[in-house]
Amino acid sequence: MGIFDFRDPSKRKKKNTSITVECTATEIFLNNTSITFPTNYTVLKNILGEASRIEPIKNTNNNVYLWDDIGIYCSTANPDKMLMLLLVEDNRYGLGHQPLKNFEGNVLIDGKPIAENIQNVDVNRPYMIRSIIKEKKQVAIAIGWNPGV
């Protein structure tokens, strides 16, 4: 005889998913999977899982894709052309829509933490990465399409 678990699966504690973003001179890896921008929702769903919420932004054609448990935000008008991800480290940042939890993953640039190496990212990389500072504190990291390349 087997052991049956009759508890409600939606109330079970979810495992904590750790996200690692590794930026090299030529590509970005999201949890060891190469990603290019623009990307699409199918690619992100395969790496991050289903978005927790997809919400319309008032008075625009855009939707916000939110991964609440891992602190990731993406706004786009077309799920087949997602230009940027926002890793929200402080969800008090002031976005109209924001993930419920903060991003607590790792962001590495050329093998070093972002704080040590972001100054070495020039405009010639096939992606852009920006540290968003508010009140002298990094509140988010934007990674995405580099229109200049």
Side-chain angles (χ1 to χ4, degrees):
M1 289 198 46
I3 297 175
F4 297 99
D5 187 350
F6 294 102
R7 294 176 291 174
D8 183 350
S10 68
K11 294 182 181 174
R12 291 183 192 158
K13 190 173 183 179
K14 294 179 183 175
K15 66 179 183 177
N16 190 5
T17 306
S18 178
I19 301 296
T20 299
V21 179
E22 297 177 71
C23 303
T24 69
T26 58
E27 41 188 341
I28 293 177
F29 294 91
L30 200 54
N31 278 1
N32 297 317
T33 301
S34 179
I35 182 172
T36 58
F37 288 95
T39 189
N40 62 61
Y41 181 63
T42 302
V43 168
L44 294 177
K45 184 170 66 171
N46 288 338
I47 299 169
L48 304 173
E50 291 275 347
S52 310
R53 296 179 284 149
I54 300 172
E55 299 180 346
I57 298 177
K58 291 180 184 177
N59 302 321
T60 72
N61 292 328
N62 285 12
N63 284 322
V64 175
Y65 293 74
L66 296 150
W67 285 267
D68 284 317
D69 290 341
I70 54 177
I72 296 180
Y73 165 108
C74 180
S75 170
T76 186
N78 181 349
D80 291 324
K81 191 174 183 182
M82 297 175 129
L83 300 178
M84 181 195 73
L85 290 179
L86 195 62
L87 314 174
V88 181
E89 294 182 328
D90 186 344
N91 61 7
R92 297 173 295 160
Y93 171 56
L95 299 168
H97 302 264
Q98 53 207 3
L100 298 175
K101 294 185 180 177
N102 292 331
F103 177 79
E104 294 180 353
N106 297 307
V107 179
L108 304 172
I109 299 174
D110 301 330
K112 295 181 181 175
I114 185 173
E116 292 178 29
N117 231 11
I118 194 161
Q119 71 279 359
N120 294 330
V121 177
D122 61 19
V123 296
N124 296 324
R125 292 198 185 209
Y127 59 85
M128 70 89 191
I129 183 166
R130 301 287 185 270
S131 177
I132 300 170
I133 308 293
K134 187 174 184 180
E135 297 173 2
K136 300 182 182 179
K137 180 182 177 218
Q138 180 173 289
V139 295
I141 300 167
I143 57 172
W145 178 57
N146 182 353
V149 174

